[in-house]
Amino acid sequence: MNPLIEFCINNLASGSYPAFEKLKKDPDLDVIELGCTSHCAICAMTIFAIVEGKCITADSNEELVEKVYKYLEETE
């Protein structure tokens, strides 16, 4: 089973869409968008993704993609 990466639709509109698109191209990941992930305080402040249940934040899309892959590497 592939790792699950979840994105809040509001956060996609606020700036995380490029990271979503890049990760979605990886056939070894299941990348989905949700209506709301209940991380509203984080969502209002920065971009983020939920990776296998853990909230990963970043200052840029490139950093978010790097952090997602790093987290997955560390938890294998």
Side-chain angles (χ1 to χ4, degrees), residues 21-49:
E21 282 293 304
K22 182 160 182 123
L23 292 168
K24 193 158 181 78
K25 291 178 183 176
D26 187 332
D28 295 324
L29 300 175
D30 290 334
V31 181
I32 63 170
E33 62 183 69
L34 300 174
C36 179
T37 60
S38 298
H39 289 83
C40 300
I42 293 169
C43 189
M45 296 173 53
T46 190
I47 59 172
F48 75 98

Side-chain angles (χ1 to χ4, degrees), residues 4-8 11 37-43 46-58 64 67-68 71:
L4 179 62
I5 318 296
E6 301 167 296
F7 282 83
C8 172
N11 200 252
T37 60
S38 298
H39 289 83
C40 300
I42 293 169
C43 189
T46 190
I47 59 172
F48 75 98
I50 300 177
V51 182
E52 292 290 302
K54 178 171 174 46
C55 186
I56 306 290
T57 63
L64 183 57
K67 284 184 164 184
V68 166
Y71 178 77

Side-chain angles (χ1 to χ4, degrees), residues 59-72:
D59 293 325
S60 70
N61 284 287
E62 296 79 18
E63 181 184 15
L64 183 57
V65 170
E66 287 174 18
K67 284 184 164 184
V68 166
Y69 282 117
K70 183 176 180 184
Y71 178 77
L72 291 171

